Amino acid sequence: MSTRTLAVVSAGLSTPSSTRLLADRLTAATVAALAERGIPVTVEVVELREHARDLADNLLTGFANKPLQAAVDTVVGADALIAVTPIFSASYSGLFKTFFDVLDKDALTGKPTLLGATAGTARHSLVLEHAMRPLFAYPRAAGEHADLVAGRPPAAPADPFEGPFGGTPSFEELLRGGS
């Protein structure tokens, strides 16, 4: 079986970082689960704090320097992604958002992604649903929707005059005296 690549993005700002600790735990659990399925995996970690200035330069110039491009290539080229951010002001960090902003809009389409966040209170767990999931779901939505539509048989066209009593004549037919 071919080896899969797992990219891990950690947006922690300190060393050591509770965000990186969570990323490492999610990674270990994923690697163990894949091993149970007989799937070997290579893990590549991207620490965003190492690319903070690179990201700002990319926003201003539109070009990634070599270290940032290597990080982007790691994420885009991976078979799966784990993305973990600290929570600031009830949302993901700006550093986290900026990194995913510099990726091509279709770069993560179809890529299995596990999300994680570290925060001060349990209330912040809602960030996974109201902020992080939409950030990662929007580029996939159209493709997933198309897959669902393609997998269904075509619907019969709706007959606006079909009711519970059989074929009801249109108003036009009624005016002409038809029944």
Side-chain angles (χ1 to χ4, degrees), residues 46-169:
V46 174
E47 284 279 2
L48 294 185
R49 77 174 177 290
E50 297 171 5
H51 300 286
R53 288 185 181 94
D54 302 336
L55 286 164
D57 289 344
N58 182 273
L59 291 176
L60 296 172
T61 66
F63 298 99
N65 63 16
K66 285 183 181 182
L68 178 58
Q69 189 61 54
V72 168
D73 292 344
T74 293
V75 171
V76 171
D79 296 302
L81 173 65
I82 294 176
V84 185
T85 182
I87 301 304
F88 299 126
S89 301
S91 191
Y92 40 72
S93 73
L95 182 62
F96 185 82
K97 176 71 163 71
T98 302
F99 178 75
F100 290 101
D101 281 347
V102 303
L103 299 182
D104 180 82
K105 68 178 182 64
D106 297 321
L108 301 179
T109 301
K111 191 177 301 290
T113 303
L114 176 59
L115 303 175
T118 55
T121 71
R123 291 178 299 169
H124 286 111
S125 65
L126 295 173
V127 169
L128 292 171
E129 294 300 321
H130 85 79
M132 291 181 73
R133 191 173 306 280
L135 175 66
F136 288 91
Y138 91 90
R140 296 178 201 171
E144 290 177 4
H145 186 248
D147 289 342
L148 290 170
V149 171
R152 295 179 55 127
D159 181 355
F161 305 111
E162 186 69 32
F165 305 109
T168 306

